Amino acid sequence: MSYKEEPAQAKLYIIFIVILGITFLFLNTPAISDLRLPVFFFLIVHIIMDHLEVPLPRGNGSVSVSFAIDLALIILFGPAVAAWVSFSSLFHKKTFKNFEQLFHKMLFNAAQLALCTGIAGMIYIRLGGNVGTMSLPGDIFPLAVAAFIYITLNSLIVMIVIMLAQKVSFWGVWLTNFRWAIPNYIATLPLGILIATVYANIGILGLLLLIVPLIVARHTFLMYIDMRNQYISTIKALTKAIDAKDHYTHGHSERVAEYAVQIGQEMKLPEDFVEKLEYLGLMHDIGKISIPEQILNKPSKLSDDEFDLVRSHSAVGAEIIQNIKFIGEHADIVRHHHERIDGRGYPDRLTGDKISLGAKIIGVADAFDAMTSHRIYSDPMSKKHAVEELERCSSAQFCKDVVNAFIKVLKRRGEI
C-alpha cells in the first residue's frame, strides 16, 4: 500500500525512524580520508547482496545476506562508514520500479539499517573492538555483542512497523516472520568475520572469492523457504480438488480460510496460530474426498445413511490432517468445526468450552459462507440476514465472542 493508505500509527512510526536514521547519519559523517576505493567496492557489493533478498513467509518482509557485509564494514572501516553504506539499501530496484507504493518502505528500511549498523558499530568500538583488522580472539566478544545488538534492533524496529501496519500482535510477527530470519543471521555471521579477515590480509581479490559462500548461504535459506511454500501450495491444490468435486462449494474453502484469519486477528490471537488457522480453514472439508460425488451433488433429499456419510467428513478430515506435521496437532479443529455450543453438533456432541476456539472460528466462517453461497439445497442469503442468523444462534450453535468478532470484521470491510 502507499504511504497515504498506511494506518496513522504506522505513518508516525515510519517518520520517526526515518528522521532518527538520517539524523544519525549526519551526526556520523565519515571523514573524506575514509572514503577510499575499497569503501566504494564494498558499497557495490552491499547493493548486489540487497538484491539477493529472500522473502519471509508472511508480512511481505524479506532478509538478505548483506548482514555479513555490514559486520565486515564495522570491523574494517568503523561505524560511520558502515552506517552510510548500509543506507545504500535505498537504491533497490523496488524503489524505482514502484516508487509511489514502495518509496516510504525502502526509505524506512534504509534508515533503520543505517541506525542498526551504526549503533552496533559503536558498541563494538566501546567494548574494545579493533577497526581496520580483525584481532582474534580478542575481538570475538565485542563483535558477538555488536551482532546481537544489530539483530535485536533490526528485528524490533521492523516487527513494530509490521504490527502497526497490519494490526497484528508483536509476538505473532516474531513467530511468523523473524524466527525464519534467525537461520539466515546465524549462517552469515561467521562469513562477516571471514570477509573482514580475508580482506585485511589479501584485499579485494579475497572478498571476491568470499561472495560465493554468501550466495550459497542465501541459496540454502531460499530453498528452506521454497520448501515451506511448496508445502502450502500442496495444501491449496488439495483444497481445489475438493472444491472441484463438490460443484456447489467452489471457492468455499478459500473464503472460509480468509474469514477465519480475519476473525483470529480481530480476536488478537497469536499470529502463528492464525497462520495455522488459515491452512486448517483451507482443509476443513478435506474429508469430503471420501464421499461419492453423486451424494455430494444429489439434488434431492439425502437418505439417513447418505446424511450420516456426509457428516462423517469432519472425522475423516481430522484423520487425514493429524498425519501432517505442520498442522497435525490441531486436527481437532477440523474434527469439531460442526460441533455446537449446546452439544447437538457432530461427531462428538461436545459442549461449550470442550470445543476448541479454532473449531468455533472455523464453524462460524463455514456457516456464514454456506448461508451466503448458492447451494444445491438453498438460495443464498444476504450477508445482513446471514449475520442476523449467526446472532440468533449465538450461545446455542455458535460461540458469541466469535460471532461478535466476525461482525466487527464484516463492518470494517463494509459488507454489512
Side-chain angles (χ1 to χ4, degrees):
M1 64 177 71
S2 66
Y3 180 74
K4 290 181 180 179
E5 297 171 315
E6 297 281 2
Q9 290 178 317
K11 287 180 182 178
L12 291 173
Y13 180 71
I14 289 169
I15 291 171
F16 172 72
I17 294 297
V18 169
I19 291 174
L20 201 62
I22 292 176
T23 301
F24 180 91
L25 287 173
F26 279 99
L27 291 176
N28 294 275
T29 303
I32 298 296
S33 59
D34 290 333
L35 301 179
R36 295 165 292 173
L37 181 61
V39 172
F40 292 100
F41 182 79
F42 270 93
L43 174 65
I44 293 170
V45 172
H46 195 284
I47 292 173
I48 292 172
M49 292 298 107
D50 274 335
H51 281 75
L52 296 178
E53 62 192 354
V54 178
L56 291 170
R58 288 167 70 91
N60 299 318
S62 62
V63 293
S64 76
V65 290
S66 59
F67 170 59
I69 303 298
D70 291 333
L71 287 182
L73 285 164
I74 289 171
I75 298 167
L76 295 170
F77 305 108
V81 170
W84 276 88
V85 172
S86 293
F87 191 71
S88 68
S89 296
L90 180 64
F91 303 110
H92 195 289
K93 62 183 179 182
K94 287 182 179 178
T95 309
F96 306 102
K97 191 175 181 180
N98 198 347
F99 185 87
E100 184 179 351
Q101 295 288 325
L102 295 178
F103 181 74
H104 70 287
K105 295 180 181 180
M106 301 308 294
L107 180 59
F108 169 85
N109 189 54
Q112 67 90 10
L113 283 174
L115 194 62
C116 294
T117 304
I119 292 174
M122 288 180 170
I123 296 294
Y124 173 73
I125 291 174
R126 181 63 63 90
L127 294 176
N130 293 295
V131 174
T133 186
M134 188 73 187
S135 177
L136 298 176
D139 288 341
I140 291 295
F141 176 72
L143 188 63
V145 175
F148 175 78
I149 295 296
Y150 178 104
I151 294 169
T152 302
L153 277 178
N154 174 250
S155 299
L156 286 174
I157 291 171
V158 179
M159 282 194 292
I160 290 171
V161 77
I162 292 175
M163 179 186 72
L164 295 176
Q166 299 182 10
K167 297 181 179 179
V168 294
S169 69
F170 181 84
W171 179 240
V173 176
W174 162 259
L175 289 173
T176 57
N177 280 287
F178 284 86
R179 63 172 179 164
W180 302 95
I182 295 301
N184 178 71
Y185 284 127
I186 293 173
T188 53
L189 174 59
L191 287 174
I193 299 172
L194 192 58
I195 286 170
T197 303
V198 171
Y199 174 79
N201 289 279
I202 301 176
I204 290 176
L205 180 60
L207 178 59
L208 288 172
L209 293 174
L210 287 175
I211 289 177
V212 175
L214 274 175
I215 294 174
V216 170
R218 180 256 183 186
H219 180 68
T220 301
F221 187 48
L222 183 61
M223 288 178 64
Y224 176 64
I225 296 297
D226 280 347
M227 183 171 63
R228 182 183 179 279
N229 290 338
Q230 285 294 328
Y231 169 81
I232 295 167
S233 296
T234 301
I235 289 177
K236 290 184 176 180
L238 284 170
T239 298
K240 290 184 183 297
I242 297 303
D243 282 355
K245 185 176 182 180
D246 189 348
H247 305 312
Y248 286 89
T249 60
H250 179 68
H252 168 68
S253 296
E254 291 186 355
R255 292 191 296 271
V256 169
E258 181 183 354
Y259 290 144
V261 166
Q262 291 172 338
I263 294 170
Q265 290 174 339
E266 180 64 34
M267 298 182 77
K268 308 297 184 185
L269 300 181
E271 192 66 13
D272 65 324
F273 179 71
V274 172
E275 182 183 19
K276 292 177 181 177
L277 201 58
E278 179 182 4
Y279 308 141
L280 291 161
L282 285 169
M283 298 189 72
H284 76 283
D285 278 341
I286 191 69
K288 287 184 177 179
I289 200 168
S290 66
I291 302 172
E293 193 169 337
Q294 62 268 26
I295 294 178
L296 288 175
N297 297 297
K298 186 177 179 180
S300 58
K301 185 179 179 180
L302 297 177
S303 67
D304 290 343
D305 288 342
E306 289 171 335
F307 190 61
D308 287 341
L309 183 60
V310 170
R311 297 209 310 178
S312 72
H313 79 274
S314 58
V316 173
E319 290 178 9
I320 294 171
I321 286 174
Q322 70 183 4
N323 296 311
I324 301 176
K325 185 176 181 181
F326 184 62
I327 54 176
E329 62 183 309
H330 298 294
D332 65 293
I333 291 176
V334 170
R335 181 179 178 88
H336 298 143
H337 74 276
H338 283 297
E339 297 287 355
R340 295 169 51 112
I341 301 299
D342 60 11
R344 295 170 57 197
Y346 62 87
D348 300 320
R349 293 189 173 274
L350 300 181
T351 59
D353 292 338
K354 293 180 181 179
I355 307 168
S356 68
L357 179 58
K360 292 173 181 175
I361 291 173
I362 297 293
V364 169
D366 182 42
F368 179 81
D369 190 68
M371 288 187 285
T372 56
S373 301
H374 181 72
R375 294 296 178 98
I376 195 170
Y377 48 81
S378 66
D379 292 326
M381 284 185 186
S382 69
K383 291 184 177 179
K384 180 181 177 181
H385 288 156
V387 166
E388 290 173 355
E389 187 67 13
L390 289 177
E391 289 182 307
R392 187 182 69 81
C393 297
S394 288
S395 301
Q397 182 175 354
F398 306 114
C399 172
K400 189 172 184 178
D401 291 340
V402 173
V403 171
N404 289 339
F406 190 36
I407 291 172
K408 290 179 182 178
V409 168
L410 293 173
K411 286 181 178 178
R412 187 168 60 248
R413 288 165 53 127
E415 296 185 16
I416 57 171

